[in-house]
């Protein structure tokens, strides 16, 4: 998606606010990840960056409840996040994961992160790959 252009928003394709695909994401700089979606039964969601191995590349990938009803005209947003200090140079990808049933999901997500598991497999079928960015 072209940075700051809301006229062209593919659904379920997350992106870093104000960045174009393949832009550099700088360490120590705060940013948000957004997504436009037509999914209507979202109880909680995660918007973050993953590294090439599917591990969290941004801080605090947590399940967040939408503040208002989900509308296809307004993006869901992450909280203000940064790159994790241990992220290696290379590509990172924006990801959107949503859940409809939170029973045990918070604990399961934290286990995935702690164990360094591939987060792309968390709640499979309801996760969406977005734009790719560069970490130097």
């Amino acid at each position: 998606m072209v940075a700051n252009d809301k006229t062209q928003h593919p659904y379920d394709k997350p992106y870093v606010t104000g960045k174009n695909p393949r832009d550099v994401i700088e360490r120590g700089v705060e940013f948000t990840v957004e997504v436009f979606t037509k999914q209507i039964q979202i109880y909680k969601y995660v918007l973050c960056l993953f590294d090439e191995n599917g591990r969290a590349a941004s801080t605090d990938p947590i399940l967040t409840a939408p503040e208002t009803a989900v509308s296809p005209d307004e993006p869901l947003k992450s909280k203000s996040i940064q790159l994790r200090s241990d992220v290696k140079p290379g590509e990172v990808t924006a990801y959107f994961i949503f859940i409809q049933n939170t029973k045990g999901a918070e604990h399961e997500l934290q286990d995935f992160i702690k164990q360094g598991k591939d987060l792309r497999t968390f709640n499979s079928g309801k996760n969406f790959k977005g734009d790719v960015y560069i970490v130097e």
Side-chain angles (χ1 to χ4, degrees):
M1 178 164 147
V2 177
N4 301 320
D5 183 358
K6 286 189 176 185
T7 63
Q8 302 175 356
H9 52 267
Y11 291 103
D12 299 323
K13 186 175 181 187
Y15 58 91
V16 173
T17 308
K19 294 280 187 182
N20 291 311
R22 312 256 348 134
D23 278 356
V24 172
I25 303 289
E26 296 178 22
R27 297 174 190 275
V29 174
E30 292 188 357
F31 57 89
T32 58
V33 178
E34 296 183 0
V35 68
F36 285 90
T37 186
K38 289 184 179 180
Q39 310 293 334
I40 56 172
Q41 293 184 337
I42 296 176
Y43 187 71
K44 290 196 175 181
Y45 65 91
V46 177
L47 284 166
C48 64
L49 299 179
F50 292 168
D51 68 14
E52 294 167 342
N53 296 316
R55 290 185 301 258
S58 55
T59 55
D60 298 328
I62 57 170
L63 289 168
T64 305
E67 292 180 14
T68 59
V70 177
S71 163
D73 298 325
E74 290 297 321
L76 292 174
K77 298 180 181 187
S78 70
K79 302 216 182 295
S80 185
I81 55 179
Q82 295 182 14
L83 288 174
R84 291 170 55 114
S85 60
D86 60 349
V87 173
K88 295 183 171 101
E91 293 183 346
V92 293
T93 305
Y95 264 84
F96 167 49
I97 302 170
F98 74 92
I99 61 171
Q100 295 166 318
N101 179 357
T102 60
K103 187 175 182 178
E106 294 273 358
H107 181 70
E108 184 182 355
L109 177 65
Q110 292 311 312
D111 280 350
F112 264 70
I113 294 167
K114 240 185 256 181
Q115 296 172 21
K117 290 183 179 178
D118 187 337
L119 288 169
R120 296 172 293 197
T121 63
F122 177 75
N123 202 38
S124 60
K126 294 186 175 62
N127 53 25
F128 300 90
K129 180 179 177 179
D131 290 337
V132 174
Y133 302 93
I134 307 298
V135 175
E136 294 179 336

